[in-house]
């Protein structure tokens, strides 16, 4: 493959690369870190790294990054207080796959269990429930996006004879609300539910919540049976990725030995990205737990700043306690497109992930203000920019 792109295709690629660079400057609406520098790892792009199969069982496919993946998993097992010698997990393609895997484990334990999840839950969960042919009940939410525990209590009460599978949100997609595991467990206890399983969808807020030891806690010591996170959100990665951890004794009924790959097929996909564990490993080693913690504190400060600036111009912006997500009434379509801002039911949000700068917040607030006071000159300037 040493021929060159022809001129037209070279131009095409160049144009695309320019566009990506440009759009990266207006990226405050999704929970994705952008402050990473993985250039030291670029030589690895020459290799088809693949962690196919189980993360612990070496494969005939030796061109892999399992050893680094193990260290990544160890880092998160400590961060989430996984039970010593009774955890297992792998680096996934993202939070959605972690949710799917966890619900799969829950179903193998409780084939006739019912999944309870709030209406603010990420769309991947409903799809996963469908794929697994699980029964489920949607629980209403409070105004801030947190599960309505009274509704949960009522629903569980109505189905007391069935195992309960709780899908708890540690940071909902729209408002970064957190479901409280202690309140959930109190309900399960009150209803004398013996067979239950709690999965934490911590895709969005899990990593920094644990680093900052935010309340309510959600890790294994708080009753989680499995936890899924996204790696490309807070840690940051050019390739979407994630991580799932489950109690090891639960997972042992999943997976079988496959002679062709010389390892065990215990994960959702066959081939698994071998590069993303290296990115995660690199970030964890370079920043360390303390560096990551500081980075999270910086984000919290930025979020406080953003709410303040928005309130100053009369926008009713708010955030949940210690959240990086700032919620406000939807601005114009033009502004939402320009800044890549997600909107649902009249509410929009920006998210102060690592890499979001004060300059970006200021510019966004200026543009929003111009729109609100009808400053057509500034709006026209932005359209040209
Ligand atoms: C992002 C997100 C997911 C899905 O994670 P992916 O990494 O995009 O697959 C699931 N749940 C929540 C709450 C999320 O924010």
């Amino acid at each position: 493959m040493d021929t060159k792109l022809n001129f037209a295709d070279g131009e095409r690629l160049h144009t695309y690369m320019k566009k990506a660079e440009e759009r990266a400057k207006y990226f405050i609406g999704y929970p994705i870190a952008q402050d990473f520098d993985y250039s030291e790892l670029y030589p690895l792009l020459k290799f088809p790294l693949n962690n196919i199969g189980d993360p612990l069982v070496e494969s005939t496919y030796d061109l892999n990054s399992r050893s680094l993946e193990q260290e990544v998993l160890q880092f998160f097992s400590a961060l989430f207080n996984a039970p010593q010698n009774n955890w297992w997990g792998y680096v996934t393609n993202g939070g959605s796959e972690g949710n799917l895997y966890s619900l799969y484990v829950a179903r193998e334990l409780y084939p006739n269990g019912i999944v309870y999840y709030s209406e603010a839950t990420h769309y991947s969960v409903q799809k996963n429930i469908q794929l697994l042919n699980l029964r489920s009940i949607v629980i209403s939410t409070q105004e801030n996006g947190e599960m309505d525990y009274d509704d949960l209590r009522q629903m569980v009460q109505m189905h007391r004879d069935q195992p309960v599978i709780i899908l708890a949100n540690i940071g909902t997609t729209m408002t970064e609300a957190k479901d409280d595991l202690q309140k959930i467990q109190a309900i399960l206890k009150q209803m004398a539910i013996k067979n239950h399983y709690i999965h934490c969808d911590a895709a969005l807020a899990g990593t920094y919540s644990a680093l900052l030891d935010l309340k309510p806690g959600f890790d294994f010591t708080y009753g989680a049976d499995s936890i899924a996170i996204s790696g490309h959100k807070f840690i940051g990665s050019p390739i979407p990725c994630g991580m799932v951890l489950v109690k090891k004794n639960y997972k042992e009924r999943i997976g079988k030995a496959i002679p062709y790959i010389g390892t065990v097929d215990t994960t959702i996909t066959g081939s698994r990205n071998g590069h993303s564990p290296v990115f995660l490993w690199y970030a964890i080693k370079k920043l360390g737990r303390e560096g990551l913690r500081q980075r999270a504190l910086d984000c919290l400060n930025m979020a406080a700043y953003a709410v303040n600036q928005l309130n100053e111009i009369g926008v009713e912006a708010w955030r949940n306690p210690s959240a990086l997500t700032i919620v406000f009434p939807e601005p114009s379509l033009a502004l939402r497109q320009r800044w890549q801002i997600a909107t649902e039911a009249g509410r929009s949000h920006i998210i102060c992930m690592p890499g979001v700068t004060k300059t970006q917040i200021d510019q966004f607030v200026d543009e929003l203000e111009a729109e609100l006071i009808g400053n057509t000159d500034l709006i026209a300037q932005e359209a040209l920019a």
Side-chain angles (χ1 to χ4, degrees):
M1 275 217 307
D2 56 1
T3 54
K4 280 207 170 121
L5 283 179
N6 70 34
F7 182 77
D9 293 337
E11 284 289 292
R12 171 83 185 85
L13 178 63
H14 180 75
T15 308
Y16 165 71
M17 285 166 77
K18 275 280 167 226
K19 173 159 192 240
E21 205 177 315
E22 190 54 30
R23 294 311 281 144
K25 293 183 199 154
Y26 298 91
F27 193 62
I28 59 174
Y30 286 95
I32 309 294
Q34 276 204 90
D35 64 337
F36 53 81
D37 176 5
Y38 294 125
S39 43
E40 200 176 340
L41 305 176
Y42 291 174
L44 283 176
L45 292 180
K46 285 188 295 204
F47 306 118
L49 305 180
N50 192 330
N51 291 3
I52 190 163
D54 194 282
L56 275 176
V57 185
E58 277 301 342
S59 160
T60 324
Y61 195 121
D62 201 26
L63 191 49
N64 68 60
S65 64
R66 267 189 187 72
S67 58
L68 299 181
E69 181 181 17
Q70 275 308 307
E71 292 179 32
V72 170
L73 296 170
Q74 272 153 19
F75 173 84
F76 282 108
S77 73
L79 184 65
F80 295 142
N81 288 311
Q84 287 262 315
N85 307 318
N86 189 26
W87 61 267
W88 182 88
Y90 69 98
V91 172
T92 60
N93 287 301
S96 305
E97 185 185 341
N99 287 341
L100 175 58
Y101 179 79
S102 300
L103 289 170
Y104 180 23
V105 168
R107 191 197 68 182
E108 294 307 288
L109 281 171
Y110 302 119
N112 52 4
I114 300 176
V115 184
Y116 298 81
Y117 66 97
S118 87
E119 55 185 339
T121 299
H122 189 262
Y123 64 87
S124 63
V125 170
Q126 206 180 0
K127 181 174 57 187
N128 293 341
I129 285 170
Q130 235 159 26
L131 285 170
L132 292 165
N133 203 20
L134 273 160
R135 286 198 295 155
S136 65
I137 293 174
V138 182
I139 306 299
S140 55
T141 51
Q142 306 173 44
E143 188 59 24
N144 73 339
E146 186 177 346
M147 178 181 280
D148 179 334
Y149 305 103
D150 292 332
D151 194 30
L152 176 67
R153 182 181 297 106
Q154 276 177 23
M155 290 302 144
V156 169
Q157 186 159 31
M158 284 168 66
H159 304 87
R160 280 181 66 174
D161 53 335
Q162 305 294 320
V164 173
I165 301 170
I166 300 279
L167 189 299
N169 286 302
I170 308 307
T172 58
T173 311
M174 274 315 284
T175 66
E176 202 179 323
K178 290 166 193 159
D179 299 334
D180 189 329
L181 260 57
Q182 278 172 327
K183 289 184 183 157
I184 292 168
Q185 280 178 307
I187 292 167
L188 299 179
K189 194 156 180 223
Q190 192 186 359
M191 299 289 142
I193 304 291
K194 273 228 181 64
N195 294 326
H196 56 78
Y197 184 101
I198 301 179
H199 169 63
C200 291
D201 176 1
L204 176 64
T207 308
Y208 53 84
S209 296
L211 283 164
L212 297 171
D213 204 14
L214 297 180
K215 300 292 170 248
F218 65 92
D219 68 25
F220 287 91
T221 58
Y222 287 90
D225 292 297
S226 53
I227 299 177
I229 61 155
S230 296
H232 57 288
K233 289 184 178 169
F234 179 72
I235 300 246
S237 159
I239 303 168
C241 60
M243 197 269 331
V244 62
L245 283 180
V246 300
K247 289 183 183 165
K248 189 165 164 211
N249 56 313
Y250 293 165
K251 79 101 198 169
E252 268 155 9
R253 51 189 85 203
I254 296 174
K256 58 180 187 186
I258 308 290
Y260 180 69
I261 53 174
T263 179
V264 195
D265 182 30
T266 43
T267 59
I268 297 283
T269 64
S271 288
R272 292 191 303 118
N273 189 321
H275 287 93
S276 45
V278 188
F279 293 128
L280 296 178
W281 180 90
Y282 186 83
I284 288 167
K285 290 296 165 186
K286 223 173 162 183
L287 293 165
R289 194 155 160 164
E290 191 43 43
L292 286 166
R293 212 180 80 83
Q294 188 54 52
R295 193 158 155 268
L297 285 174
D298 293 344
C299 292
L300 277 179
N301 286 335
M302 190 64 76
Y305 175 77
V307 170
N308 195 50
Q309 296 306 99
L310 286 165
N311 289 345
E312 287 270 303
I313 62 161
V315 171
E316 284 179 21
W318 61 277
R319 64 186 175 120
N320 270 306
S322 302
L324 306 185
T325 304
I326 295 125
V327 187
F328 48 94
E330 65 175 316
S332 72
L333 180 62
L335 215 59
R336 271 149 44 204
Q337 283 176 339
R338 177 171 157 83
W339 291 92
Q340 304 173 61
I341 291 173
T343 299
E344 211 180 85
R347 290 207 283 200
S348 296
H349 65 203
I350 57 172
I351 309 182
C352 293
M353 278 282 156
V356 170
T357 63
K358 209 162 162 243
T359 315
Q360 283 174 313
I361 299 292
D362 289 344
Q363 192 182 344
F364 172 70
V365 172
D366 283 350
E367 292 180 15
L368 184 54
E369 185 177 29
E371 220 176 69
L372 294 175
I373 62 177
N375 183 340
T376 43
D377 282 355
L378 188 57
I379 296 172
Q381 268 175 34
E382 285 151 19
L384 290 175

